[in-house]
Amino acid sequence: MKLSTKHLLGIKHLTTEDIQLILSTATQFKEVLQRPVKKVPSLRDITIVNLFYENSTRTRMSFELAERRLSADVLNFAASSSSAAKGETLLDTVNNILSMKVDLVVMRHSASGAPHFLAKHIPAAIVNAGDGINEHPTQALLDAFSMQEKLGQLAGLKVAIIGDIMHSRVAMSNMYLLQKMGAEVMVAGPPTLIPKYISEAFGVKVEYNLKKALQWCDVANVLRIQLERQNQPLFSSLREYSLAYGINRRLLDSLGKEIVIMHPGPINRGVELDSDVADGSSSIILNQVENGVAVRMAVLYLIANREN
Ligand code: NCD
């Protein structure tokens, strides 16, 4: 089976069959990653560039590890230490890299739509590793993989995405993916951090009361306040945010049921999650990170295979 699309620009463009194919391929790669020899020759003749125009820890390392586990040749590009700082355009940078015979571009950029722009202008396949406030497709895929692994199936699952919905590409990709796969989605947080027409536009539930959101859901996917994307104050202080929307053990214990806690990282401990929750038995945060490698291996393998 092959993906219906040449690039992975967003979950918006994937079919449910594409998503199922990526998740089942990731299951096979996760099995490979449990072996003493974790490397397979699948992408031996493929060269991949990781083009990171924005800071990243997990996503960049996870992509690089996935590429190396598949035996691809890997080039790393960080905008801060490159000629982008000397005024070179994105398209010039990429065309120069492609002339070195690169097959696949993994790209993170602070501008929404940057990978879509590139896809129109270059022949290589592109995997979006997060574009502005638009999408972060591989994060949603690894979130889905982790939910499925923990709870069995996505269909019928109740997932609350909590926090700074307005500035979150993780929220966007999760909303698309979970609904395509038959899960129910609620977004929760302060009214100033939730877009006004989100319910009409995306068919998600909206809840401003944290406890009610937690009482409703099976899984809480908790987000960081993306201060770097806010150019005006949208709440009075982090302390106040934490009082109204921070999740602590006491609150979880008061629900009278078990829910699963997720977070894409980086966590701001003591703001959206207390340490006893982030590191507690309900949390699958480190499983998400582990699964990220298998999921990205699946994405890269399927995209590269479609090309051949
Ligand atoms: C997220 C991102 O960069 O979009 N992190 C990640 O990729 N794991 C979320 C965030 O920065 O808060």
Side-chain angles (χ1 to χ4, degrees):
M1 268 181 76
K2 290 199 169 184
L3 291 178
S4 70
T5 149
K6 174 181 170 183
H7 310 283
L8 178 60
L9 297 177
I11 303 292
K12 187 179 181 180
H13 313 287
L14 296 185
T15 63
T16 51
E17 290 75 26
D18 290 331
I19 297 169
Q20 267 152 1
L21 177 60
I22 295 169
L23 296 179
S24 61
T25 309
T27 306
Q28 294 169 24
F29 282 125
K30 179 148 185 185
E31 190 266 314
V32 169
L33 294 176
Q34 314 302 319
R35 297 181 195 158
V37 179
K38 299 176 178 59
K39 211 161 166 161
V40 286
S42 319
L43 298 192
R44 204 163 45 196
D45 299 321
I46 301 283
T47 306
I48 303 178
V49 60
N50 299 313
L51 207 61
F52 277 68
Y53 279 87
E54 200 196 74
N55 294 347
S56 171
T57 310
R58 263 159 301 272
T59 306
R60 206 191 59 71
M61 290 202 297
S62 178
F63 265 110
E64 185 170 345
L65 200 54
E67 291 153 7
R68 293 189 189 281
R69 299 278 195 239
L70 290 166
S71 308
D73 290 323
V74 180
L75 271 177
N76 284 310
F77 169 96
S80 52
S81 58
S82 75
S83 286
K86 299 181 193 166
E88 185 167 69
T89 67
L90 173 60
L91 202 51
D92 277 341
T93 304
V94 174
N95 274 325
N96 277 275
I97 293 170
L98 291 182
S99 65
M100 298 183 233
K101 304 266 177 294
V102 168
D103 305 291
L104 217 154
V105 178
V106 174
M107 181 190 196
R108 168 167 286 198
H109 203 288
S110 57
S112 303
H116 308 67
F117 166 80
L118 262 198
K120 288 207 183 85
H121 291 95
I122 64 166
I126 296 173
V127 174
N128 181 2
D131 66 320
I133 57 168
N134 181 42
E135 281 223 42
H136 191 351
T138 56
Q139 181 68 44
L141 286 160
L142 76 88
D143 289 347
F145 184 93
S146 307
M147 286 182 224
Q148 214 174 39
E149 184 179 65
K150 177 80 184 173
L151 297 167
Q153 60 169 9
L154 298 171
L157 210 60
K158 291 181 172 161
V159 182
I161 307 173
I162 298 170
D164 185 356
I165 308 299
M166 178 118 71
H167 302 94
S168 175
R169 53 196 176 205
V170 176
M172 186 80 108
S173 289
N174 263 279
M175 285 191 294
Y176 283 128
L177 190 153
L178 290 166
Q179 297 197 107
K180 281 182 197 237
M181 299 307 283
E184 277 184 74
V185 180
M186 172 186 280
V187 293
T192 47
L193 293 179
I194 298 183
K196 256 196 194 125
Y197 301 106
I198 195 165
S199 172
E200 291 85 333
F202 290 95
V204 295
K205 295 182 172 40
V206 176
E207 177 59 67
Y208 302 123
N209 181 293
L210 175 65
K211 185 157 183 186
K212 284 191 184 152
L214 297 177
Q215 271 162 341
W216 173 84
C217 71
D218 304 308
V219 177
N221 197 351
V222 187
L223 306 173
R224 178 177 68 91
I225 299 287
Q226 318 235 336
L227 283 174
E228 76 277 20
R229 301 195 197 290
Q230 301 178 11
N231 39 27
Q232 69 196 71
L234 292 167
F235 53 95
S236 43
S237 70
L238 281 179
R239 199 180 119 70
E240 193 161 320
Y241 178 84
S242 161
L243 285 174
Y245 293 101
I247 301 179
N248 55 41
R249 189 70 248 170
R250 199 164 24 85
L251 180 56
L252 283 192
D253 288 344
S254 76
L255 300 176
K257 65 169 194 174
E258 277 286 312
I259 63 168
V260 173
I261 299 288
M262 301 177 64
H263 195 302
I267 302 172
N268 286 155
R269 287 176 183 259
V271 182
E272 69 271 16
L273 277 185
D274 273 7
S275 284
D276 53 3
V277 175
D279 308 327
S281 57
S282 318
S283 161
I284 59 164
I285 295 172
L286 291 178
N287 304 72
Q288 290 173 261
V289 179
E290 179 187 348
N291 291 334
V293 179
V295 167
R296 291 182 172 111
M297 284 172 82
V299 165
L300 295 166
Y301 171 80
L302 291 167
I303 294 273
N305 252 15
R306 201 177 172 277
E307 280 289 278
N308 294 335

